[in-house]
Amino acid sequence: MSAIVSVRGAVKEYALGAVKVQALRGVDLEVGEGEFLSIAGPSGSGKTTLLNLIGCVDTATSGVVQVAGKDTASLSERQLTELRLNTIGFIFQSFNLVSVLSVLQNVELPLLLQRRFSGKERHDRVLDLLGRVGLADHAKHRPSELSGGQRQRVAIARALVTRPQIVLADEPTANLDSVTGENILALMRELNRTERTTFIFSTHDAKVMAHASAVVRIADGRVLGREAPAAAQAEGH
Amino acid sequence: MKWVLLSAAGALALGLFAWLWRVFGGTSRVDLLVAFRNLVQHRRRSAFLGGAIAAVTAFLVLLSGLSAGVRETMLRTATTLMTGHINVAGFYKVTEGMSAPVVADYEKVLAVVHEAVPEMRYAVARGRGYAKVVSDSGSMQLGINGIDVRAEPAFAEVVQLASGNLGDLAKPNTLLLFESQAKKLDVKVGDMLTLSAPTTRGINNTLDVRLIGIAHDLGLLSTWNCYMPAESLRELYRLNPGSTGAIQLLLRDDALPNTPAIMARLRKALEARGYRLLDPDPEPFFVKFDKVNREDWTGQKLDVTSWEDELSFFSWTLKALDGLSATLLAILLAIVVIGIMNTMWIAIRERTREIGTLRAIGMQREQVVRQFLLEALMLGLVATVAGVVLGAVAAAGLNAARIPVPIGAQIFLLSNHLFFAVHAGTLASAVAAITLVTGLAALYPSLRAAKLRPVSAMQHFG
Ligand SMILES: Nc1ncnc2c1ncn2[C@@H]1O[C@H](COP(=O)(O)OP(=O)(O)OP(=O)(O)O)[C@@H](O)[C@H]1O
Ligand SMILES: [Mg+2]
């Protein structure tokens, strides 16, 4: 299994006035292609910070972050944006859909930004994905007309529509009730299997971790270790 | 130096074009949709700002319509009463210190004019004089115009008679006065008056004339001009039959902007035929006598002037009007700019997380700029088009209402009712200009929005 994400000695400092907060204190992490990896840790441990570095929306104070074989420190803002567009899909804790666009338009948006596909190709892909997340009937709806779980499904469809190599999800179930959260996780797991997409998601919910193929525990800005979850073992992985 | 400036301007234009291309090049239907839907989403705010922009646009249309209306009325009235678009006037000196407004043998000059100015609609010859007009009860000094009223149909359109018959001005020894003059001289149509004036040789001559008409006042110009047949004016001044005071050229409308070039061409043509010319001097003819009298030449010199030269004593009215317009324009545009920038800041603060999200999922900075600019431009375009329609309708309504101008203002506006000249070109440029201002006002907030970091998508509140 080759590494699609490789973080070595990553340090992230935030300046809070005169005080410096070290959110990450030298993190090493390798993520293999096709993993369904959970990053677990208590609040303030640095999960979001780490995902931001991997997602190329933030830069490390020191250390190396490689995504899809590219050293992110060497890329320009424009190149980073392109990397995010073509290689990474994002699922946000609070869904972050564009409120004035329909479900279909929200999912289509990354494809429009790519400017690679014809209208028909885009349409086919969007409808296919909406079908797979179970929202084919809601294509014309606005996000405000959907439940939290449905919104997160739209967000998943949006994250996957470009067939990215990596999908990052920062506490994707934190704003959902536990049953809906379970369903969302199951959907992500299924797409991880069928599409061979690498998923990295953070959580501090043990039930959510149970879905992962591996769990990386962090605390206080450091990686404590990597383990296979009990559930995964039970499933025979 | 010229080339440096030119290439600098070229580079700037190229850079601007490249930037616009980068920002707007990939505009898709969804960009327009997002802009439109965001405007609709905040319809109260959009309506308020759009309404303000529309009101400002409408007001500016009216203001520029008024300014253009005054200019057009002034031009039309003045070119009927006392000047052509271009004039060829004569200064004739028998002795060095005595000049008279005479073009001798004007048919020959007219032939040169015809040849040199193909843009001419027609030309009229006007005798010029300055005489004492004496009635039974009073007298006043007036500028006298010798006119062939049958040859000037436009005259009857501008000069409206309160009493009498304009056609009678074709009869010899007749006179046409304006109301204020007739009132001062206490005369009515049919009364006899005496004109008294010095001839070119310095001897006083008099002529008895009959008042055939009294015209409605037309502002300042009608306070010191009156009209009599050209033939009678020659008799008063003992001039040769072939002489006149000035040839007034009326140009086609499309040639008016070229007036300076046409004047230069006409000057050359006249000089080529051996006519002597006065140096160009942008002043009305009646202030030039003093200057000419001090020069040491005798015989005839021609003077080529434009209507603007002859009306230069009016230019302050136009300048004041333009200055007022410019001030109001600046204030109103400042309000629009502040309104737009303020609204944009609010919108950007509200949509920080959305912008961060779009940046995170792969939207480039210039596309964020595009989103916000499109929103402002869309609002600006709709609002200015509405404003222009509103302004044009209001102008048409006010024109139809024929709102009277107070007497004091009439003197300068040369008209007794308000007139708004609104042209399609003005409307189009108002739309373009104010939409552009909207876009420029939105530019800085848009650039700042594009600078928002994608991590702001991860903020869960705000
Ligand atoms: N923009 C910031 N400025 C200053 N300090 C920050 C900033 N973002 C995070 N931190 C700090 O860095 C540390 C790690 O934060 P981070 O958000 O990565 O933790 P987390 O594991 O995601 O926590 P949670 O489970 O609450 O989301 C915390 O101490 C936090 O206060
Ligand atoms: Mg977090």
Side-chain angles (χ1 to χ4, degrees), chain B residues 53-107:
Chain B
I53 296 173
V56 165
T57 310
F59 187 74
L60 291 177
V61 164
L62 279 180
L63 200 64
S64 74
L66 181 64
S67 184
V70 168
R71 217 173 273 270
E72 281 171 25
T73 312
M74 197 180 267
L75 178 60
R76 187 170 133 80
T77 313
T79 49
T80 312
L81 292 183
M82 60 162 291
T83 172
H85 295 132
I86 298 175
N87 308 287
V88 181
F91 286 87
Y92 199 95
K93 299 212 286 187
V94 177
T95 59
E96 267 184 18
M98 270 288 301
S99 56
V102 174
V103 181
D105 215 355
Y106 76 84
E107 292 288 353

Side-chain angles (χ1 to χ4, degrees), chain A residues 14 16 21 23 42-49 171 204:
Chain A
Y14 290 110
L16 271 179
V21 183
S43 185
S45 56
K47 304 182 292 293
T48 300
T49 307
E171 311 205 29
H204 43 223

